[in-house]
Amino acid sequence: MGLLSRKAACNSHGQDSSYFLGWEEYEKNPYDEKKNPSGIIQMGLAENQLSFDLLESWLARNPEPAAFKREGESIFRELALFQDYHGLPAFKKSMVDFMSEIRGNKVTFNPNNLVLTAGSTPANETLMFCLANPGEAFLLPAPYYPGFDRDLKWRTGVEIVPIQCSSSNNFQITESALEEAYKSAQKQNLKVKGVLLINPSNPLGTTATREELNLLVNFVDDKNIHIISDEIYSGTVFDSPGFVSISEILKNRNHKDSNLSDRVHIVYSLSKDLGLPGFRIGAIYSENEDVVSAATKMSSFGLVSSQTQHLFSQMLSDKKFTSNYLKENRIRLMKRHDMLVSGLRNAAGINCLNSNAGLFCWVDMRHLLKAKTFEAEKDLWKRILFEAKLNVSPGASCHCTEPGWFRMCFANMSEETLNLSITRIKDFVDSFNTENNVNRRQQRRLLRSPRIGLTKWVMRLSSSVSHDCEPER
């Protein structure tokens, strides 16, 4: 280890989180319907595999982009040569148009303000580098995606201070929670540089309300700090209330006398909405010229390939396709979401937080805990992982303050595998309840046994004493 740098050798990557440990166990014993039917089913991966057929159908109808051709002529050499890290203009234009379409065309985006990155992970990290120094902090509503402890902090040295949200109001952000987080950072001598919002939320699967968004914008405006709105799940909203982007809130406000628009930044990606994490397509959108300039320079460390940009500039420019895709994908997500929610409730008596977006459910298993502690949650998580053979993400890994919540993903598997997952949960809960009932009966017997023995002994002793003390006849 002495040969490595301090950064490479330090333990701040977050790899010891139960979120990552569950992945490691899954990779040792992954479920396969034919090759390994008793393996662990991956319910910890927020991946959208429900609409690949729509993408494949488009590719079949439009073979030229994937073959690197334009009007029958090869453009392979053109795409193979060096491209400026600002990105292909045609792709940036199609990307911002797609972002507007997802938002109901209520807002528009300028392609010159878009910085391309190899996914949302480098987009968020790049913004950390641009907006904060090592040892400064961002506030982040909790529960939040476990990977942020790695993505935001590991290389940048930036700290995260949770905005603690509660199940009592369905984990919505409140003014008091914001102020408490801000004061907590101050007590730790951390300068707060901004708020990072995940909208729709991962792991909750809910969209931020207009009230929450206005509250956040008022807060950052008052504190003169930044807000990053990570909107990578914006196209997965399948039920009401609909999605409201921070850009729409900004558009409807009169901020001419402040520099608010310079302190609002959006992260987007095609990884979730189109189910394309392997293509590594992400972006930062900002109206702050200095941020765009700095982020563009940094993007050279994680570019989107020219071939990828060319292909998806053609796909996203096909408005008939994008309109149909977004509509059909939402229908499929709702169906799959409802399968998991109803399956958990009807088969296992487990409820979920009411949600309307995302690729997962926030599942309430507090009633299965043997104690209201995170140690009990960890024990339950291990049993689900090794006995039910399901990799789910425990709430502690998401920095939830209430033990017993778990994130379960539903869009990264077939319908048959999801049904098997529900069956496994049902069998586990049945076995768990039977075990608890047996334990309770044994405890009651143990508690009764000493008392019964003592009573009989006292009665016998009393009878003996009484007999011995009888007067002689």
Side-chain angles (χ1 to χ4, degrees), residues 372-385:
K372 294 181 180 180
T373 65
F374 284 107
E375 190 61 37
E377 177 188 274
K378 187 175 182 180
D379 290 341
L380 179 60
W381 166 69
K382 286 181 178 178
R383 294 193 61 176
I384 293 171
L385 181 62

Side-chain angles (χ1 to χ4, degrees), residues 40-61:
I40 296 173
I41 296 175
Q42 175 63 287
M43 299 190 82
L45 175 60
E47 196 170 68
N48 183 7
Q49 299 183 18
L50 303 186
S51 299
F52 277 155
D53 61 310
L54 302 179
L55 301 171
E56 290 166 340
S57 293
W58 186 90
L59 290 169
R61 296 192 306 271

Side-chain angles (χ1 to χ4, degrees), residues 134-200:
E136 295 178 335
F138 263 74
L139 309 183
L140 179 54
Y144 62 79
Y145 165 57
F148 280 136
D149 293 319
R150 168 201 63 195
D151 301 348
L152 306 182
K153 296 169 56 177
W154 185 39
R155 298 199 301 180
T156 66
V158 173
E159 297 296 329
I160 296 175
V161 178
I163 302 167
Q164 300 295 0
C165 302
S166 166
S167 64
S168 61
N169 70 341
N170 296 321
F171 297 98
Q172 291 191 352
I173 302 165
T174 63
E175 185 175 3
S176 60
L178 275 170
E179 292 294 345
E180 286 174 13
Y182 193 82
K183 290 177 182 177
S184 175
Q186 290 180 318
K187 289 178 181 177
Q188 299 173 60
N189 294 318
L190 296 172
K191 182 178 181 180
V192 176
K193 296 304 295 288
V195 176
L196 172 60
L197 172 70
I198 316 305
N199 182 31

